[in-house]
Amino acid sequence: MRTTRLAVTVLTGLALFVPNHSQALPRTGPAPEATDPSYQELPLRPGFGTTSAGATKPFGMVGITWPSRPDSSEVVVKIRVQRGGVWSDWEQLPVEDEHGPDPAGGEGQQRSGTDPIWVGDANGIDASLTTKDGTTVSDAKVVLVEPGTLATDANPPSSLAATRTDATAPYPAPAVIGRRGWGADERLRSHNGAACVRPKYTSTVQAAFVHHTADRNNYTRAQVPAMIRAMYAYHVRSRGWCDLGYNFLVDRFGRIFEGRYGGTQLPVLGAHTGAFNANSFGVSLIGNFENAKPTGSMLEATARVIAWKLDANYRSPQATVVLDGSRLHTVSGHRDTKATACPGNNLYSQLGWLKQRADVLMGRSVSTEIYRFAQQLGGYRRIGQPFWGEHPTRTGRATYFGARDLYWSPATGAHSVQGGFRGRFRTYGPDGLLGMPTAEQRNGKPAGSRAQNFHYGAIYWSPRTGMHAVNGLISRKYGALGADRSRLGLPISEPFRVAGGVQQKFQHGRLTLSFRTQKVYVT
């Protein structure tokens, strides 16, 4: 087998071919006390020769990239790093092109590459890239990232874990350290164009893919936020992705971190399992589990985030699903989709335990009031797949399906909101001025109009008058008069302030609420 070797030695103060490509990333917006993270992309040019010891600007993470090619499995990458004047042994980096966006995902100029590897506090790098088939790889680059430090790295803040209020409620959200907590610089999402700034969503959540980052296993608690910041920079600036690839990450201490931007409760389209990102989410355990074993707290945290996401979307962790034409387990490993070592033998062997544990946490059945009402309405074929999974509101719970939003509370029962009423009600929210729906949408009067009642009011629509909400004391008076069947007709305005009160216009009159008397008058 003939190989072509590419090598680079980064040395300070020597006249080598490596230019000074140091470039500072901006400080994270919410943490001005952070040091400026250093980011370097250095050319890895063809050539032979011996490596020489030397010092470079410190860096914490290293990766190698090259122009996208269909046979990246033929590429072999090795590095050694210098720490405190001592060179490490050479080690081979995992080449993992199957972590990434879908082929038609539109995430900019993507490059092939290795997984990024955390090296801690290094100040020298030697790298080589060879191919098994003897072909030459041009424009290869060594990426060095120094993510800096934040005052909060030692103890990043997390959201409070929710509690299960009753047996029929979905499994609650576990504590998650959000992007602000680990110090994400949200400006970095615009690096590959304006289209990357807004998050992309898939239709629903049907499956979970389990990964490992193929990284070190001996990191400290305080290093984890920096590791994620460095991974974020590498995925965006060197691989050409819109954002961090994974939806969630879990460290060896059992902490869960939010990955890709867009809202942990929503079906954010990730870049974790090429061709299978749609309708799934990716959770990556930080470490390499080909030889080492994941910790018990790591596995428990992974089971909890899987249980939360699947239960909210009414999916069983013991079931199967068809994605991209392939039948897969609802909880699958990355290697179930491609010829890859991910998530490592010792983590892959735990998938059965993860499924069983998630099933126990979820209660082994789907039994919520919203789910049962969805089935009464005709199931997913009639109302669409769940988009925003079942989540708590102040007085009850809600699930946004593709064609209808369903709400439930003990006081109002389960009801849906659809069509234009859905968009209008979302502007108020179930905890807003109208409260929860108390009935389904109905035909109104005159013919061709529509109406829906809520706890504190109603929404009315007709082609002639448009859509308007009536709420509070004005709604009570309007209802006492007969509502849309009264002589006032339909509302033609929203409530507005007048001297001493609030007024609302109708087709044939007005209702005025007096602040002084707390009574409503017909004018």
Side-chain angles (χ1 to χ4, degrees):
M1 176 180 67
R2 183 173 65 87
T3 63
T4 300
R5 186 167 185 269
L6 309 180
V8 60
T9 303
V10 182
L11 304 174
T12 300
L14 299 181
L16 299 183
F17 61 82
V18 180
N20 181 10
H21 282 193
S22 295
Q23 183 176 356
L25 286 172
R27 286 192 292 263
T28 57
E33 70 276 19
T35 60
D36 283 332
S38 175
Y39 185 91
Q40 302 173 78
E41 278 192 340
L42 308 171
L44 182 59
R45 297 182 178 177
F48 292 89
T50 59
T51 58
S52 303
T56 72
K57 188 175 181 179
F59 59 93
M61 184 167 278
V62 59
I64 313 293
T65 70
W66 53 91
S68 181
R69 52 185 283 162
D71 57 348
S72 286
S73 62
E74 296 293 308
V75 177
V76 178
V77 177
K78 296 181 179 180
I79 65 163
R80 68 173 188 163
V81 298
Q82 180 181 250
R83 301 184 190 90
V86 179
W87 284 94
S88 68
D89 294 331
W90 285 91
E91 66 173 311
Q92 185 170 329
L93 299 190
V95 174
E96 194 52 88
D97 262 7
E98 304 306 335
H99 289 124
D102 291 335
E107 295 216 8
Q109 296 296 113
Q110 299 163 25
R111 287 173 62 86
S112 295
T114 67
D115 282 332
I117 298 298
W118 182 254
V119 294
D121 189 12
N123 61 354
I125 178 77
D126 285 339
S128 72
L129 185 153
T130 62
T131 58
K132 297 177 182 178
D133 60 4
T135 58
T136 298
V137 178
S138 60
D139 192 28
K141 295 179 181 179
V142 178
V143 181
L144 307 177
V145 186
E146 172 50 49
T149 58
L150 296 176
T152 56
D153 281 354
N155 189 27
S158 65
S159 61
L160 295 176
T163 57
R164 200 167 195 161
T165 55
D166 60 78
T168 63
Y171 184 74
V176 176
I177 297 171
R179 289 173 65 91
R180 184 183 180 92
W182 56 260
D185 184 347
E186 301 300 357
R187 293 168 293 183
L188 187 57
R189 290 186 290 109
S190 65
H191 181 77
N192 291 313
C196 281
V197 175
R198 295 179 63 86
K200 298 180 177 65
Y201 296 99
T202 184
S203 299
T204 188
V205 169
Q206 291 181 294
F209 285 108
V210 178
H211 302 261
H212 70 166
T213 63
D215 216 320
R216 298 282 192 271
N217 296 307
N218 61 348
Y219 51 84
T220 67
R221 291 178 66 93
Q223 287 176 327
V224 175
M227 294 172 72
I228 298 175
R229 291 196 299 273
M231 193 183 308
Y232 174 38
Y234 177 75
H235 283 178
V236 173
R237 300 190 64 169
S238 289
R239 300 300 300 275
W241 305 351
C242 285
D243 196 349
L244 188 65
Y246 307 113
N247 299 101
F248 300 93
L249 299 102
V250 179
D251 70 10
R252 69 189 184 97
F253 309 102
R255 299 180 299 178
I256 303 168
F257 294 80
E258 177 185 8
R260 181 160 283 218
Y261 178 84
T264 57
Q265 73 278 21
L266 297 176
V268 178
L269 180 65
H272 50 85
T273 311
F276 294 88
N277 292 307
N279 296 341
S280 71
F281 68 97
V283 53
S284 189
L285 281 66
I286 300 174
N288 190 323
F289 303 105
E290 191 61 31
N291 297 310
K293 294 182 178 181
T295 66
S297 57
M298 191 177 226
L299 290 172
E300 177 67 15
T302 303
R304 290 180 181 275
V305 74
I306 289 173
W308 167 49
K309 292 292 288 184
L310 293 185
D311 204 23
N313 290 277
Y314 315 118
R315 316 293 182 185
S316 168
Q318 302 282 20
T320 61
V321 64
V322 176
L323 295 177
D324 196 42
S326 300
R327 181 163 291 279
L328 299 162
H329 291 284
T330 308
V331 180
S332 290
H334 188 187
R335 67 173 61 174
D336 291 323
T337 67
K338 300 287 182 180
T340 171
C342 182
N345 289 332
N346 288 307
L347 177 52
Y348 187 77
S349 66
Q350 294 296 317
L351 290 188
W353 182 89
L354 286 174
K355 296 174 190 177
Q356 292 175 4
R357 180 57 178 157
D359 202 27
V360 169
L361 293 171
M362 293 165 58
R364 299 186 182 277
S365 65
V366 176
S367 60
T368 73
E369 295 86 354
I370 288 179
Y371 177 78
R372 292 197 297 269
F373 186 57
Q375 299 308 303
Q376 294 174 20
L377 293 175
Y380 300 155
R381 291 185 179 181
R382 293 292 302 274
I383 66 174
Q385 297 281 340
F387 177 78
W388 183 349
E390 190 161 335
H391 56 278
T393 68
R394 191 179 63 194
T395 60
R397 299 192 297 272
T399 304
Y400 290 5
F401 292 85
R404 297 194 192 197
D405 296 347
L406 270 60
Y407 301 89
W408 172 88
S409 76
T412 60
H415 299 285
S416 70
V417 185
Q418 61 179 310
F421 283 57
R422 175 169 73 160
R424 175 58 63 86
F425 184 61
R426 283 186 182 181
T427 66
Y428 305 129
D431 300 323
L433 58 86
L434 290 176
M436 288 281 202
T438 58
E440 294 299 291
Q441 194 178 125
R442 59 176 174 80
N443 291 324
K445 188 178 180 181
S449 65
R450 303 286 291 172
Q452 185 164 11
N453 293 335
F454 296 84
H455 201 197
Y456 304 117
I459 298 176
Y460 301 90
W461 172 87
S462 78
R464 185 173 182 179
T465 60
M467 183 174 291
H468 300 286
V470 184
N471 76 294
L473 293 178
I474 289 180
S475 178
R476 286 189 188 180
K477 182 68 172 181
Y478 185 50
L481 294 172
D484 48 322
R485 291 172 172 78
S486 72
R487 61 183 177 85
L488 288 174
L490 293 171
I492 58 174
S493 79
E494 297 297 301
F496 56 92
R497 291 289 297 270
V498 294
V502 174
Q503 191 175 91
Q504 188 162 11
K505 295 180 180 179
F506 294 81
Q507 287 176 299
H508 308 297
R510 304 184 183 196
L511 291 177
T512 304
L513 167 65
S514 168
F515 290 155
R516 184 178 62 83
T517 65
Q518 286 296 295
K519 292 184 178 180
V520 178
Y521 302 93
V522 181
T523 58

